[in-house]
Amino acid sequence: MTAVLGGCGLTGDSDEVTLRLVAADYGDSKANSSQNYWNELVKSYEAQHPDVHVEVDVYSWNDVDRKVREMVEAGDAPDMAQIGAYSDYADRNLLYRADDVLSIPVQADFVSQLAGAGQVNGVQYGLPFAASTRVLFYNKTLFSEAGVTPPKTWEELAEAAEALDAKGVKYPYALPLGAEEAQAETMQWMLSGGGGYTDDVGTYSVDSPQNVTTFTWLRDELVAKGLTGPVAPGKLNRADAFAAFAKGDVGMLNGHPSLMKMASDKGVKYGMVTTPGAEGESQNTLGVSDWMTAFRENGHQEEIGDFLDFVYSDDNVLDFSREYDLLPVTTSASQVMSTAAEDRNLKTFLDELLLSELYPVGKASWASVSADVKKEIGQAVTPGGSPREVLGRIQATAMRAGSAE
């Protein structure tokens, strides 16, 4: 990884421009680091645009949001940043609008759910870059040995977990509510119980009756009965749960597309079904998008726009999505992927994307609410814990943060 270079703007001849992009790493090794993807893309772009140079610095997801925040606070914002959230920068008027930098065809091509999630007060600032949805993964071998079939309801999920537990499965159901990505597992369960982080008009409703019922059920029917494995859900991170599934130690868990390759590489035979709900298959699933942002600080509006139009061409969107088992964020690339034989394993997730709900990322308060969920939610399912009190505390944080918007 190269260090972020200070300064920006003109370089060499006065007509030349250097753009700086900070991006997140989707790879799990040096061999498939996202730096390799960006190096090839930039090489191709610069060959066609000799007066524009693009420097890309890639950081792990553990560091990239912090790195960009530090750069912005130091008055040294990059021209573009591909990160996990955008609304706090938009709220401070630091970003170009999507229609400031993208051509009309490119902006119009974003998947509608993702384009909507990129808006603040009806104006799009967040450009979706990579997307995924969640389905229930299950270990076919363990299910066969336990004599159970994939569940469609919570009750069936609990019964399957009990049967898996009786067979000595280490994690009958892996419930990762640890600090890494608790907000995802939390929302997936909220949706399956008819709730969510917000109500129909976008007001925070973390402690709604539906959400309290959902986490009470998790506490009593899974955690208290020892069906979630040897690590307390509040201490179990998503990456560790995925790794345990790939080792054959997990009966079932909510997962996104990258788990397919992890499991296949380890020889785990898996299946995927719609997330079970309280009374039947969940009508809503979690959709997640990461975001490209364009900062105003250095100018370069025209050059940024031209480069981003290139980034969002079908070939480049498909190359990235296929390299990292993610979903395309454009309608045209999604249509290609939905019919291509090489992408048949992703079709389940593509279908889910059209019905998915995303985090309330358009709220500037979401970053602090998400952080609070990561810190608190595991306590809701501990034996003797109070879902009502824990969700109530998170709701109070959400309302305080939201009142400033």
Side-chain angles (χ1 to χ4, degrees):
M1 304 277 176
T2 58
V4 174
L5 300 177
C8 61
L10 301 180
T11 181
D13 294 339
S14 59
D15 291 335
E16 294 185 2
V17 169
T18 294
L19 300 177
R20 291 185 303 158
L21 165 64
V22 175
D25 196 353
Y26 291 81
D28 55 13
S29 67
K30 186 176 181 179
N32 72 343
S33 167
S34 296
Q35 189 76 57
N36 301 327
Y37 169 81
W38 286 111
N39 288 348
E40 289 299 314
L41 184 145
V42 166
K43 181 179 178 181
S44 177
Y45 179 78
E46 290 181 345
Q48 302 172 39
H49 303 80
D51 293 333
V52 179
H53 307 283
V54 185
E55 298 172 351
V56 184
D57 296 291
V58 172
Y59 294 93
S60 76
W61 273 110
N62 293 329
D63 299 321
V64 67
D65 289 290
R66 174 178 56 81
K67 287 284 187 182
V68 172
R69 184 170 62 251
E70 291 172 351
M71 294 172 70
V72 171
E73 297 306 324
D76 188 31
D79 296 285
M80 296 160 285
Q82 185 267 299
I83 46 181
Y86 68 87
S87 56
D88 51 341
Y89 298 125
D91 192 55
R92 294 156 60 189
N93 197 33
L94 300 178
L95 302 179
Y96 284 117
R97 298 158 51 121
D99 55 11
D100 287 335
V101 290
L102 296 179
S103 65
I104 292 174
V106 170
Q107 186 179 2
D109 197 28
F110 287 129
V111 174
S112 59
Q113 285 89 339
L114 305 180
Q119 296 179 359
V120 175
N121 297 323
V123 178
Q124 186 176 358
Y125 293 93
L127 316 180
F129 182 74
S132 66
T133 56
R134 300 293 197 274
V135 299
L136 185 76
F137 281 73
Y138 66 96
N139 184 310
K140 287 185 174 182
T141 302
L142 297 179
F143 264 58
S144 176
E145 292 173 352
V148 292
T149 56
K152 295 183 178 180
T153 66
W154 288 357
E155 182 179 0
E156 292 176 0
L157 186 149
E159 290 173 353
E162 289 177 351
L164 291 163
D165 183 57
K167 287 292 185 178
V169 174
K170 190 173 183 178
Y171 294 89
Y173 178 84
L175 182 64
L177 296 177
E180 179 199 5
E181 205 181 41
Q183 81 282 2
E185 185 76 8
T186 295
M187 184 167 173
Q188 186 73 1
W189 276 99
M190 286 178 170
L191 291 172
S192 74
Y197 286 119
T198 59
D199 60 21
D200 292 340
V201 296
T203 302
Y204 282 115
S205 57
V206 180
D207 62 347
S208 68
Q210 296 96 322
N211 292 340
V212 171
T213 296
T214 295
F215 278 84
T216 300
W217 186 89
L218 283 171
R219 180 196 65 187
D220 295 345
E221 301 302 323
L222 291 185
V223 181
K225 294 182 179 179
L227 301 177
T228 53
V231 179
K235 302 291 186 182
L236 181 63
N237 283 328
R238 189 270 311 163
D240 295 328
F242 277 22
F245 187 85
K247 287 176 60 179
D249 290 339
V250 175
M252 50 187 160
L253 82 171
N254 288 323
H256 56 62
S258 66
L259 184 55
M260 295 188 298
K261 186 175 187 302
M262 288 182 64
S264 295
D265 286 349
K266 297 291 187 178
V268 171
K269 296 179 180 178
Y270 65 88
M272 300 180 296
V273 293
T274 300
T275 303
E279 303 297 334
E281 292 181 347
S282 179
Q283 297 303 302
N284 298 302
T285 191
L286 169 64
V288 176
S289 179
D290 303 322
W291 304 97
M292 179 70 76
T293 55
F295 284 88
R296 296 157 52 94
E297 182 175 310
N298 307 315
H300 302 156
Q301 178 180 349
E302 182 179 347
E303 291 84 0
I304 290 171
D306 190 68
F307 178 68
L308 289 178
D309 277 357
F310 183 77
V311 167
Y312 285 106
S313 67
D314 277 357
D315 286 345
N316 288 327
V317 170
L318 286 167
D319 283 349
F320 185 85
S321 301
R322 286 165 172 162
E323 175 65 27
Y324 298 107
D325 287 323
L326 292 164
L327 304 182
V329 295
T330 63
T331 300
S332 55
S334 296
Q335 289 171 344
V336 172
M337 185 172 277
S338 67
T339 58
E342 66 183 289
D343 302 312
R344 59 185 179 277
N345 288 341
L346 286 168
K347 190 173 189 316
T348 299
F349 297 95
L350 281 168
D351 293 342
E352 293 276 2
L353 184 61
L354 299 177
L355 304 172
S356 66
E357 292 192 26
L358 281 78
Y359 304 129
V361 288
K363 292 177 174 289
S365 57
W366 170 243
S368 61
V369 173
S370 176
D372 205 40
V373 170
K374 294 176 182 180
K375 178 182 176 182
E376 297 267 5
I377 196 65
Q379 300 173 48
V381 297
T382 58
S386 172
R388 188 180 305 279
E389 290 181 7
V390 173
L391 294 171
R393 290 199 300 270
I394 298 171
Q395 174 71 10
T397 296
M399 295 303 290
R400 285 194 301 272
S403 65
E405 297 177 338

